[in-house]
Amino acid sequence: LDMCRARLAPWLEVEEADTGMQAIGRLNGPVQDVDILDVAVRHGVDFSPLSTQYRHSPAQHGLRLGYAGVATDDARVGVERLRSAFQEIDRRAVGRK
């Protein structure tokens, strides 16, 4: 969790879920979580979009990040891949301006 907070803070506010097996990263911006997923998968990381969990209220956009049974080194690699995906999205946004 500390690694996610330190490396992903420009894009996500990360909090531990009640289960202790996953973290929830709420997006700090207007981007849609499903759009991030497409880029993240190309960078070799997968997550569950939070918005797909909403049925009866307005969807919140974020990432459900599972970490149960993930070694520290593997988690570090995943966080850096996700950071790279966010950086790519930022570069694209700057290019559209």
Side-chain angles (χ1 to χ4, degrees):
L1 291 172
D2 290 339
M3 188 180 350
C4 285
R5 289 177 182 132
R7 301 297 291 158
L8 303 174
W11 305 281
L12 296 175
E13 181 179 325
V14 179
E15 59 192 54
E16 186 173 6
D18 293 339
T19 61
M21 296 171 51
Q22 62 188 5
I24 302 295
R26 298 193 190 281
L27 290 167
N28 296 331
V31 67
Q32 305 257 330
D33 51 15
V34 292
D35 295 335
I36 295 167
L37 180 59
D38 290 339
V39 178
V41 167
R42 285 198 322 274
H43 282 263
V45 67
D46 193 9
F47 63 84
S48 295
L50 189 59
S51 66
T52 62
Q53 305 302 311
Y54 286 81
R55 301 285 183 253
H56 302 290
S57 60
Q60 292 186 24
H61 288 270
L63 290 61
R64 290 179 44 198
L65 304 167
Y67 59 83
V70 177
T72 302
D73 288 341
D74 292 337
R76 186 173 292 111
V77 169
V79 168
E80 290 306 317
R81 287 178 179 177
L82 187 53
R83 181 178 172 83
S84 293
F86 278 117
Q87 289 171 329
E88 178 182 328
I89 291 166
D90 286 351
R91 285 190 303 273
R92 288 182 183 180
V94 168
R96 286 192 298 259
K97 290 182 181 180

